[in-house]
Amino acid sequence: MPAPASPPTAVPGARTSRTTSTHCPYCSLQCGMAVTAGDRPATLVPLDFPTNRGGLCSKGWSSAELLDHPERLTRPLVRAVPGDRTSPLVESTWDEALDRLVAAIRSTQAGHGRDAVGCFGGGSLTNEQAYQFGKFARVALRTSAIDYNGRFCMSSAAGAANRAFGLDRGLPFPLADIADADVVVLVGSNPADTMPPAMQWFDAGRERGAQHIVVDPRRTATARNAALHLQPLPGTDLALANGLLHIAVAEGLVDTEYVQSRTTGFEDVRTGVAAYWPDRVERLTGVPVADQRRTVYAPARADKAMILTARGAEQHRSGTDTAQAWINLALALGLPGRRGSGWGTVTGQGNGQGGREHGQKADQLPGYRSLADPAARAHVAAVWGVDPDDLPMPGRSAFELLDALGTEGGVRTLLVLASNVAVSAPDARRVVSRLRDLDFLAVSDFFLSETAELADVVLPSAMWAEEAGTMTNLEGRVIRRRRALDPPQGVPDDLQLLAALADRLGAGATFSGDPETVFEELRRASAGGTADYSGISYRRIDEEQGVFWPCPDETHPGTPRLFTERFATPDGRARFLRVEHVEANERPDADHPFVLTTGRVLAQYQSGTQTRRTRSLQLVAPTPRAELHPDLARRLGIEQDDVVELATRRGRARFHAQLTDTIRPDVVFVPFHWGGGASANALTDAGALDPTSKMPPFKACAVSVTRVSGPEERLPPPAAATQPRPTGHRPPTAPVPHPPSRPTPRSTTARRTPVKSTPRFLQGVFPITGEGLAKPGPVDPALRYTVPAGCSAQALYFRGGNATGELVYVLLVRDGEPMRWFPIGAKADTHVPLRVVEDLPGGSVVELHAAAPEGTTGEIVVDLGLVEV
């Protein structure tokens, strides 16, 4: 393969340098920075770009350290003995490496069909690379087998946004709007650690009096600065959101005019959230009723309010429905489309937004078009110069693709770009075993990642400062990554690699290694799609500090704020959808008594391929730590810095203990940036994918914790003999449909919950005439209920209000016998949780009677909540 084209180089012997405005290679903020290169190493300074305004986090500041790292790959690696992955990886020529890959592709497709060759991409690829990877799969390989690691990140929020709004863009408003919001509810996100420069907008809001509410099982750096912190059990965010909407409905906080004019489906949702009364939600989530009420009232009474969700809420078996539940709350309060208000999701990966728009997802074509849509296929096929019938149909999602590797009907030769699935995928030991089952694995990377270590061929790639292209940040702002220095001699970027591979496969005429040429084609392919880039050009990006999509033509200003007049649905209205809480796929038991959740820490990023090699970051976070509450640690005999072993049904991993009262006593937190014996994802669950997004439940599984030893500098790996065997291959089966989010006529797809229960309510406003406090009597036939035969009921709470000027009593009666008295003061109310009232078997008659001083007249409000099982 020839060396990639390079910018003009300096005259030999002359010491020159150039400074290039570009962007950080890490998170979705895509902070602006200026890189000065000439004599290596390169240096950088932050720029006053709209997302970071001169700020950088430790990862951004240290990003240039890796450009000349001694472990940097600069030549292809192949197995010393072809086909024998026990033989060492040795340096090779580009011709030999690509010949081996192309031969494997042709042999596999000849023997097993086109779909036996697959592609796996990443959210750090530029838009041009992501676009060309999707085109490469469908035109050069003609395979349906392509997906990417963004399926493990933003896909649940994307699914919910598409359902509710007709369009998925992480933030439908500029990041700076956060500073203008009077209330921000932040669910499952910790930007103070994951994207520190963004905190300036939160800080600016608080400085002018804004109230921030953080929902997170940990008291993170973000939660410490919040006015209110809610600590739900992982996996219960949906129940919490439904409970908040229940309160909004009951307290008259719903923006009725907005709901009637801009939405559909509210009545069905209203019916559904009736079952999420505050006491029940407190039991499910652990969030006190008083905090639930405060959380609802804050955005409902604010002039400008936002609800922002992220991976903590979304990486669950019901992640799409969970995001939908928070969207439902935002819609009920009339937030989306209002200036300074709305719902959004905090995108994680650098190009997590653009990476999911232009074709590397199994079901998508450029412009966020559906691969199953004939019109979309025809449009993109015309741009690519192919017959629409030659385009494959949608393939398997990311984990489904990985889990079928090496099987008949699954992928047998795999090309991986910009992803380290051996660390980042759930049930990672199972995924590693699948990678070993492949006939052939090729990986493009700039370091020998844990995935690359398993490959037949490893192809070195240019790094972020050595390539050019566009990225789309969390706001939907399309920006330019500019090439600041030359890559090592002979090292291409992934765009050039794909063009070279397409050429060797006989499809090179329509592939280019020049990013602007590819972007111009992307513009045409996206034209008319949901994510329409057709009006965006490199020139406009330079002149305008990025352009917000959709931007359908060159005279269009771009769209910084979505939904101000209509939503992207056929009728212009947003969709409420009824959703129900489901239990986590794994619940704690005697062997695994705690809940494990995972996430990021300040000084590391994603699978750690880069940050674990950055010396300055390693000094901050040298080893992975399991966060344990001191009460839990005391019970288990664990002290600070001890080595602990975490075990789930899938694997064991070891960490240093971090004792902190910032986490719930029943929850253990570990970061997912490490592999090997400290792999968090060797523990996580992949047993129940979200039916819409195909998101695995990273954020909740059952775990045990054991002390191994006192502090040690290096973490010894768990004994191999103690590791559970990875789950074996199963014959491919049709996907099991997830229960629908709304009730349907009785059928095999009707929703089932782990406990079949029905809420019952004795409630209403009733007139009362007192006959004396010692003479209680029935109030109204509506306050009488007979528990059906074969069922059991339990009284959960009583609420009462008294409009009279005298003390009144309400009496709970069972089969004619008094059970509980509830006094209600004059012109007052009461709220009593009934956690000690006995079960009421079938046939029991439950009644509410009342008593008041003789001659007293007025009204009482009563509400008795029961659950029937």
Side-chain angles (χ1 to χ4, degrees):
M1 177 177 177
S6 301
T9 55
V11 176
R15 297 176 61 85
T16 62
S17 65
R18 63 178 184 271
T19 299
T20 305
S21 297
T22 187
H23 295 271
C24 177
Y26 289 113
C27 82
S28 63
L29 285 183
Q30 288 296 287
C31 296
M33 58 170 58
V35 177
T36 299
D39 292 336
R40 289 192 182 235
T43 59
L44 61 85
V45 294
L47 292 178
D48 186 15
F49 190 72
T51 53
N52 64 305
R53 299 304 301 266
L56 283 180
C57 73
S58 56
K59 294 184 287 291
W61 276 112
S62 63
S63 55
E65 288 183 30
L66 295 172
L67 295 171
D68 295 304
H69 195 281
E71 295 179 19
R72 175 81 188 272
L73 298 177
T74 59
R75 298 189 63 185
L77 303 177
V78 300
R79 293 292 169 183
V81 179
D84 179 4
R85 289 191 212 151
T86 65
S87 66
L89 285 166
V90 296
E91 288 190 352
S92 174
T93 65
W94 274 101
D95 280 337
E96 181 183 6
L98 294 183
D99 283 348
R100 288 196 189 187
L101 173 55
V102 170
I105 290 171
R106 287 176 170 153
S107 172
T108 298
Q109 290 193 326
H112 301 280
R114 295 188 182 278
D115 288 347
V117 174
C119 302
F120 200 94
S124 62
L125 294 175
T126 66
N127 288 321
E128 292 81 356
Q129 291 164 351
Y131 167 85
Q132 186 135 296
F133 202 21
K135 178 183 175 183
F136 174 80
R138 282 137 187 157
V139 174
L141 298 177
R142 293 179 62 183
T143 180
S144 68
I146 179 172
D147 213 281
Y148 84 129
N149 63 17
R151 183 76 71 170
F152 300 151
C153 293
M154 291 74 60
S155 58
S156 289
N162 282 321
R163 286 193 321 198
F165 306 133
L167 182 151
D168 156 43
R169 201 179 82 187
L171 293 184
F173 42 74
L175 183 69
D177 280 9
I178 292 173
D180 296 329
D182 301 311
V183 172
V184 179
V185 180
L186 191 61
V187 187
S189 180
N190 180 21
D193 280 353
T194 59
M195 46 179 62
M199 291 307 293
Q200 62 186 298
W201 307 111
F202 292 89
D203 295 342
R206 284 197 308 275
E207 286 172 6
R208 63 174 193 79
Q211 184 178 5
H212 294 168
I213 299 171
V214 173
V215 181
D216 198 305
R218 303 163 63 222
R219 190 169 72 249
T220 61
T222 305
R224 284 197 296 270
N225 293 318
L228 179 63
H229 174 213
L230 312 184
Q231 281 188 282
L233 184 70
T236 63
D237 295 299
L238 192 158
L240 178 60
N242 275 0
L244 300 180
L245 184 49
H246 174 104
I247 295 172
V249 171
E251 301 292 337
L253 303 177
V254 173
D255 188 335
T256 305
E257 181 181 351
Y258 177 97
V259 168
Q260 291 177 347
S261 64
R262 299 209 61 189
T263 73
T264 64
F266 178 65
E267 289 306 315
D268 194 25
V269 170
R270 181 205 293 269
T271 300
V273 300
Y276 293 82
W277 58 92
D279 299 278
R280 179 192 176 207
V281 171
E282 179 175 339
R283 286 194 306 279
L284 287 170
T285 67
V287 176
V289 171
D291 287 348
Q292 295 177 44
R293 292 185 176 280
R294 186 177 169 189
T295 301
V296 177
Y297 270 96
R301 290 173 170 171
D303 182 48
K304 298 176 181 178
M306 294 178 179
I307 297 174
L308 306 178
T309 64
R311 308 302 84 73
E314 299 157 6
Q315 287 181 317
H316 296 280
R317 64 181 294 194
S318 57
T320 303
D321 282 358
T322 301
Q324 181 71 53
W326 291 99
I327 291 173
N328 287 344
L329 178 62
L331 290 172
L333 300 179
L335 305 182
R338 279 170 42 195
R339 181 70 177 258
S341 298
W343 172 89
T345 184
V346 183
T347 301
Q349 294 191 75
N351 200 30
Q353 182 68 55
R356 66 183 184 263
E357 295 169 358
H358 296 302
Q360 62 174 336
K361 280 183 71 178
D363 55 351
Q364 282 183 208
L365 288 170
Y368 225 133
R369 286 182 160 90
S370 169
L371 186 56
D373 178 7
R377 294 167 64 86
H379 173 87
V380 174
V383 174
W384 289 348
V386 299
D387 189 322
D389 292 339
D390 289 341
L391 296 178
M393 294 301 288
R396 291 184 171 108
S397 69
F399 187 79
E400 293 169 316
L401 186 156
L402 294 173
D403 199 33
L405 295 178
T407 65
E408 194 61 41
V411 167
R412 305 182 75 95
T413 289
L414 181 68
L415 171 61
V416 178
L417 303 187
S419 190
N420 186 10
V421 293
V423 173
S424 63
D427 199 353
R429 295 177 60 251
R430 173 174 163 186
V431 170
V432 168
S433 74
R434 304 299 194 256
L435 292 169
R436 295 186 191 279
D437 289 341
L438 284 165
D439 295 342
F440 194 91
L441 173 63
V443 176
S444 170
D445 211 327
F446 25 79
F447 292 112
L448 194 65
S449 69
E450 286 82 354
T451 304
E453 288 176 349
L454 304 172
D456 294 272
V457 168
V458 182
L459 305 171
S461 175
M463 294 187 70
W464 61 280
E466 302 162 349
E467 64 182 12
T470 61
M471 309 283 279
T472 305
N473 75 354
L474 79 170
E475 314 163 293
R477 186 195 304 259
V478 184
I479 60 174
R480 277 191 66 188
R481 172 177 287 180
R482 298 174 181 85
R483 183 170 172 175
L485 67 161
D486 301 339
Q489 182 66 32
V491 174
D493 62 39
D494 285 323
L495 195 69
Q496 295 163 332
L497 170 64
L498 292 169
L501 278 173
D503 187 57
R504 287 173 178 258
L505 291 167
T510 62
F511 287 80
S512 172
D514 174 65
E516 189 165 7
T517 300
V518 174
F519 187 78
E520 289 300 307
E521 183 178 300
L522 182 158
R523 292 175 64 187
R524 297 194 302 275
S526 73
T530 302
D532 192 334
Y533 282 32
S534 57
I536 304 175
S537 64
Y538 277 23
R539 176 189 58 78
R540 285 194 63 182
I541 294 171
D542 291 345
E543 293 173 353
E544 302 172 31
Q545 287 196 305
V547 181
F548 292 86
W549 71 262
C551 184
D553 61 67
E554 293 189 4
T555 63
H556 192 281
T559 314
R561 294 177 181 85
L562 296 169
F563 316 138
T564 56
E565 297 178 1
R566 69 188 314 274
F567 294 95
T569 56
D571 60 4
R573 291 172 174 261
R575 306 286 192 255
F576 280 95
L577 280 95
R578 179 172 171 172
V579 292
E580 305 289 350
H581 167 70
V582 295
E583 296 286 353
N585 188 51
E586 280 191 352
R587 302 184 66 181
D589 56 21
D591 294 327
H592 304 94
F594 312 112
V595 175
L596 175 71
T597 193
T598 67
R600 287 169 52 186
V601 296
L602 175 64
Q604 297 290 343
Y605 182 74
Q606 301 302 85
S607 69
T609 302
Q610 298 176 75
T611 51
R612 282 187 278 124
R613 289 176 167 86
T614 303
R615 183 174 180 275
S616 57
L617 298 179
Q618 277 293 89
L619 293 173
V620 178
T623 62
R625 293 181 170 271
E627 293 186 6
L628 309 171
H629 193 278
D631 292 347
L632 174 59
R634 196 159 34 246
R635 285 166 49 198
L636 301 176
I638 295 170
E639 296 185 2
Q640 178 72 21
D641 296 327
D642 282 356
V643 176
V644 295
E645 184 167 289
L646 274 56
T648 68
R649 295 174 177 88
R650 290 154 297 282
R652 296 172 177 265
R654 291 185 176 179
F655 305 85
H656 283 122
Q658 176 72 41
L659 275 54
T660 173
D661 63 1
T662 62
I663 193 167
R664 290 174 53 119
D666 53 355
V667 173
V668 180
F669 169 85
V670 291
F672 56 70
H673 311 294
W674 281 264
S679 171
N681 280 322
L683 309 173
T684 51
D685 185 19
L689 304 183
D690 182 289
T692 300
S693 66
K694 305 302 182 183
M695 172 72 76
F698 286 96
K699 294 301 186 188
C701 67
V703 68
S704 65
V705 184
T706 307
R707 182 182 184 274
V708 174
S709 69
E712 296 187 28
E713 183 176 356
R714 294 183 179 274
L715 287 168
T722 68
Q723 292 280 17
R725 291 180 63 85
T727 304
H729 282 296
R730 298 187 182 96
T733 59
V736 177
H738 186 70
S741 296
R742 63 179 66 236
T744 60
R746 296 182 69 86
S747 72
T748 57
T749 60
R751 174 174 288 278
R752 295 184 176 91
T753 54
V755 177
K756 299 178 181 178
S757 60
T758 305
R760 303 293 184 190
F761 306 96
L762 304 184
Q763 57 188 196
V765 181
F766 304 98
I768 184 174
T769 300
E771 297 181 6
L773 290 175
K775 296 181 179 180
V779 178
D780 189 278
L783 298 181
R784 187 175 191 273
Y785 179 67
T786 301
V787 180
C791 294
S792 176
Q794 186 182 54
L796 301 177
Y797 70 89
F798 170 81
R799 290 197 194 91
N802 175 15
T804 79
E806 302 289 340
L807 173 72
V808 302
Y809 285 93
V810 174
L811 176 63
L812 175 60
V813 178
R814 169 189 170 184
D815 295 331
E817 295 295 327
M819 290 183 69
R820 184 75 178 263
W821 288 88
F822 306 108
I824 313 175
K827 296 189 181 299
D829 55 36
T830 184
H831 174 207
V832 183
L834 299 177
R835 296 183 176 88
V836 296
V837 175
E838 63 206 70
D839 286 350
L840 307 169
S844 298
V845 178
V846 184
E847 295 180 274
L848 289 175
H849 293 186
E854 188 174 357
T856 300
T857 60
E859 292 182 328
I860 60 171
V861 181
V862 295
D863 177 12
L864 178 69
L866 306 104
V867 63
E868 183 181 284
V869 180

